[in-house]
Amino acid sequence: MKSNSGARPHNIEAEQSLLGAAMIQNDVIDRIRHTLKPDQFFDPLHARIFQAMIGRREQGQKSSPVLLKPAFEDDAAMIDIGGTSYLTRLAGSAVSIVDSPHYATQIRDLWVKR
C-alpha cells in the first residue's frame, strides 16, 4: 500500500512479495542483501523476518515458512496478525522471483523518502 498525502511512503505489498519470493528461492537474499537492509522495511515485523532470513543464509541454512516458524512463535506482532501462518501467506504472495531486485530497490527508495 503506497502512501497517500501526509502518510509515510511505503509499499507493504512489495515488502510481502519480496519476503515471499525469498522464502521460495533463498538465493534472492544473496541478490538483494547489498541493496536492502532490514531497517529499511516500513513494517517492523517484515524487518525482523528479513533479518532472520539473512542470519539463516549466513549460517548456510534455508529459510521457509516452516523453518522460520520457531523464531516467530512468540513474536507479539506475528501473534497480532494471526500467528505464524502469516509466513505461509507471505510465501503465497510471491508473484515473481524475477522482480525481487525491483521490489528491494523500491522498498529502499521509499525508506529514503521517509
Side-chain angles (χ1 to χ4, degrees), residues 20 23-24 49 64-66 68-69 78 83-94:
M23 282 185 222
I24 291 169
I49 293 168
S64 71
V66 172
L68 289 167
K69 181 179 176 177
M78 184 74 75
T84 55
S85 64
Y86 182 65
L87 297 168
T88 303
R89 291 195 308 270
L90 286 176
S93 73

Side-chain angles (χ1 to χ4, degrees), residues 51-63 67-68:
Q51 182 62 56
M53 294 173 77
I54 289 171
R56 290 184 64 82
R57 190 75 176 160
E58 288 173 347
Q59 295 173 7
Q61 299 174 338
K62 299 279 186 180
S63 290
L67 294 171
L68 289 167

Side-chain angles (χ1 to χ4, degrees), residues 7-28:
R8 294 175 37 175
H10 63 281
N11 186 332
I12 293 297
E13 291 84 0
E15 293 184 10
Q16 291 170 328
S17 293
L18 177 65
L19 292 172
M23 282 185 222
I24 291 169
Q25 186 72 37
N26 286 185
D27 69 345
V28 164

Side-chain angles (χ1 to χ4, degrees), residues 32-49:
I32 65 169
R33 67 190 298 171
H34 299 294
T35 302
L36 184 64
K37 305 297 178 212
D39 65 345
Q40 294 172 328
F41 281 80
F42 179 79
D43 187 311
L45 176 59
H46 291 166
R48 290 192 301 280
I49 293 168

Side-chain angles (χ1 to χ4, degrees), residues 87-104:
L87 297 168
T88 303
R89 291 195 308 270
L90 286 176
S93 73
V95 178
S96 172
I97 293 167
V98 173
D99 291 334
S100 298
H102 302 291
Y103 296 147

